[in-house]
């Protein structure tokens, strides 16, 4: 028997996040560890009258590819994935790692090479999403590996995941996310005519411009759970420094104690207490990797703990996150890169954000 929370999550993803319509082509992606959710999403897509296609990865498949692939294989882009990204109407992706450190021994150069090869496809993905031609959403399915990273039992982690998505109990999850969306609209309306941002606190003193840029309302449409407002800052406007409060977990590695210094938009100094070499190699992927493509504030106050899953951690209410690399075209960002790395700074104590000199945010709470 399927966990009813899984069924409710599937319905939320299909009916609200991607709003699947009859006749559309929908790709459902994940690993076999997420089989119950993949099946529930597949059935719901069919019930909506759309065409459902499942792409499920085998355990250890990505690690095997990065370990064994020859040069021409690393540079090769799957025609199946290309077809979906270029022509499908919706993509529903599920994160479900059985080993979150499977890629930790893979040479960084091989991972960077794959990212570079896929950069044009990533650009197509983001441009179609920006135009509305491609609806997409990413979610998390609870696994023992993710529970261990979060330092929770699987039972408690399941409750955390489903609770963050507001499907833990029977009720109207859509109503919750619509209310969250409306609150975001209020904040975005206040920010829209403004230009200069100054974030300051024990771990940050950073200034940037949002003039002419659009804030995006992340209210359950593209991530589940969700909860952030974000934009692409003016590329050459970022100046100052930031020390990120939590590790970046990417490609099977933890990069801890990251500190970045910006001048005229570019990262001019980068340090890390752990895996600094990997940080530098990533920042040197291409010219755009040293510029910010995203600047965001987490608004999900139902998420208050760090779990080493960026899907949840970047949404922690009262935190600020920014991504080096490619920006989202719909925000007005012009930064292009094969990289998009989110990094989180906690602003819940002795910190504030001023916008055009007015207090917008202090100690984790909006002030408007």
């Amino acid at each position: 028997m399927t966990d009813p929370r899984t069924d409710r999550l599937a319905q939320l993803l299909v009916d609200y996040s991607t709003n699947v319509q009859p006749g559309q082509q929908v790709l459902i992606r994940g690993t076999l560890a997420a089989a119950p959710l993949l099946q529930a999403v597949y059935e719901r897509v069919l019930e909506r009258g759309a065409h459902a296609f499942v792409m499920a990865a085998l355990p250890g498949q990505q690690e095997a590819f990065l370990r064994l692939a020859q040069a021409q294989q690393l540079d090769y882009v799957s025609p199946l994935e290309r077809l979906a990204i270029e022509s499908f109407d919706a993509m529903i992706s599920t994160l479900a790692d059985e080993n979150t450190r499977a890629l930790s021994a893979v040479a960084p150069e091989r991972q960077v090479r794959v990212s570079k090869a896929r950069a044009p496809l990533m650009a197509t993905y983001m441009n179609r999403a920006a135009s509305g031609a491609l609806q997409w959403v990413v979610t998390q399915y609870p696994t023992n590996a993710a529970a261990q990273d979060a330092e929770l039992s699987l039972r408690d982690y399941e409750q955390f995941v489903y609770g963050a998505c507001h499907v833990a109990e029977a009720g109207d999850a859509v109503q919750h996310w619509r209310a969250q969306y409306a609150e975001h609209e209020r904040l975005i309306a206040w920010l829209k005519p403004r230009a200069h941002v100054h974030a300051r606190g024990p771990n940050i003193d950073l200034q940037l411009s949002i003039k002419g840029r659009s804030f995006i309302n992340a209210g359950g449409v593209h991530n589940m759970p969700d909860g952030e407002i974000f934009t692409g800052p003016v590329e050459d406007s970022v100046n100052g420094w930031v020390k990120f409060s939590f590790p970046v977990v990417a490609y099977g590695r933890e990069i801890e104690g990251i500190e970045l210094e910006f001048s005229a938009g570019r990262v001019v100094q980068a340090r890390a207490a752990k895996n600094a070499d990997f940080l530098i190699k990533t920042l040197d992927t291409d010219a755009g990797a040293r510029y910010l493509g995203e600047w965001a504030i987490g608004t999900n106050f139902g998420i208050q703990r760090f779990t080493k899953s960026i899907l949840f951690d970047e949404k922690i209410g009262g935190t600020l996150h920014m991504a080096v690399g490619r920006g989202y075209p719909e925000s007005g960002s012009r930064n292009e890169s094969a990289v998009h790395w989110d990094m989180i700074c906690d602003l819940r104590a002795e910190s504030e954000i001023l916008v055009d000199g007015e207090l917008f945010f202090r100690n984790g709470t909006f002030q408007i």
Side-chain angles (χ1 to χ4, degrees):
M1 180 179 176
T2 306
D3 186 328
R5 299 173 299 183
T6 303
D7 288 334
R8 289 194 288 266
L9 177 55
Q11 184 171 346
L12 183 63
L13 297 171
V14 175
D15 294 8
Y16 175 71
S17 298
T18 53
N19 190 25
V20 170
Q21 298 297 310
Q24 289 186 330
Q25 295 187 104
V26 181
L27 180 65
I28 304 162
R29 300 194 298 183
T31 68
L32 293 180
L37 180 57
L38 298 180
Q39 179 71 24
V41 170
Y42 179 77
E43 293 179 2
R44 186 60 184 170
V45 169
L46 293 178
E47 289 171 351
R48 298 275 289 190
H51 306 293
F53 303 86
V54 178
M55 185 182 292
L58 300 172
Q61 181 175 323
Q62 188 178 20
E63 184 273 333
F65 173 74
L66 288 168
R67 176 168 50 86
L68 299 172
Q70 300 173 24
Q72 76 274 15
Q73 292 171 309
L74 292 172
D75 294 336
Y76 184 75
V77 177
S78 163
L80 296 177
E81 187 177 16
R82 185 185 300 279
L83 174 66
I85 288 176
E86 291 180 349
S87 63
F88 276 33
D89 302 292
M91 298 179 66
I92 299 173
S93 302
T94 299
L95 307 176
D97 289 319
E98 294 181 288
N99 179 358
T100 59
R101 300 296 178 269
L103 306 183
S104 59
V106 173
E109 295 82 1
R110 295 174 69 80
Q111 294 169 301
V112 169
R113 184 164 185 161
V114 171
S115 294
K116 285 184 175 180
R118 297 187 74 259
L121 196 61
M122 183 179 181
T124 300
Y125 179 93
M126 298 184 98
N127 287 331
R128 290 194 71 223
S131 71
L134 175 66
Q135 300 299 320
W136 62 273
V137 67
V138 178
T139 194
Q140 175 93 32
Y141 183 77
T143 63
N144 274 306
Q148 287 172 333
D149 278 353
E151 300 183 357
L152 293 170
S153 69
L154 179 59
R155 179 189 179 94
D156 288 341
Y157 186 67
E158 287 174 341
Q159 188 62 25
F160 167 78
V161 170
Y162 293 125
C165 297
H166 291 269
V167 295
E169 306 292 339
D172 194 344
V174 170
Q175 182 179 6
H176 166 82
W177 290 109
R178 283 178 175 160
Q180 180 78 75
Y181 193 93
E183 171 60 9
H184 288 172
E185 287 291 278
R186 183 184 73 84
L187 298 172
I188 290 170
W190 188 89
L191 289 165
K192 186 175 181 179
R194 291 167 169 81
H196 182 262
V197 174
H198 187 183
R200 58 193 185 190
N203 294 314
I204 189 170
D205 189 356
L206 197 70
Q207 300 188 54
L208 55 88
S209 174
I210 56 172
K211 185 176 182 179
R213 298 302 168 94
S214 299
F215 271 84
I216 308 303
N217 187 333
V221 176
H222 294 313
N223 285 182
M224 187 53 66
D226 216 340
E228 64 175 287
I229 55 173
F230 68 90
T231 192
V234 175
E235 286 72 21
D236 62 358
S237 71
V238 185
N239 290 283
W241 66 273
V242 57
K243 181 177 181 179
F244 294 99
S245 311
F246 305 109
V248 168
V249 182
Y251 303 109
R253 289 175 171 82
E254 286 187 35
I255 305 94
E256 296 181 358
I258 296 174
E259 295 184 54
L260 301 179
E261 294 181 22
F262 293 84
S263 178
R266 187 174 185 271
V267 176
V268 292
Q269 292 289 334
R271 296 176 291 275
K274 178 181 177 183
N275 280 323
D277 288 347
F278 188 61
L279 170 65
I280 301 302
K281 283 185 172 68
T282 301
L283 290 173
D284 289 338
T285 298
D286 50 40
R290 283 182 175 261
Y291 289 82
L292 288 186
E294 179 185 356
W295 186 87
I297 301 173
T299 63
N300 192 328
F301 292 92
I303 302 175
Q304 288 291 298
R305 65 180 299 140
F306 180 70
T307 65
K308 298 184 181 179
S309 170
I310 193 62
L311 180 68
F312 296 92
D313 299 336
E314 68 177 4
K315 314 301 191 314
I316 295 172
T319 63
L320 169 71
H321 68 271
M322 56 193 82
V324 292
R326 179 174 289 277
Y328 293 93
E330 60 266 44
S331 72
S333 175
R334 302 185 183 96
N335 200 42
E336 296 186 359
S337 174
V339 173
H340 182 91
W341 261 23
D342 290 291
M343 305 178 184
I344 306 164
C345 182
D346 197 340
L347 299 186
R348 290 177 289 184
E350 301 178 35
S351 303
E352 62 185 12
I353 299 173
L354 301 173
V355 182
D356 286 352
E358 294 185 60
L359 184 63
F360 175 65
F361 183 94
R362 173 175 284 163
N363 298 339
T365 304
F366 292 101
Q367 301 295 307
I368 63 166

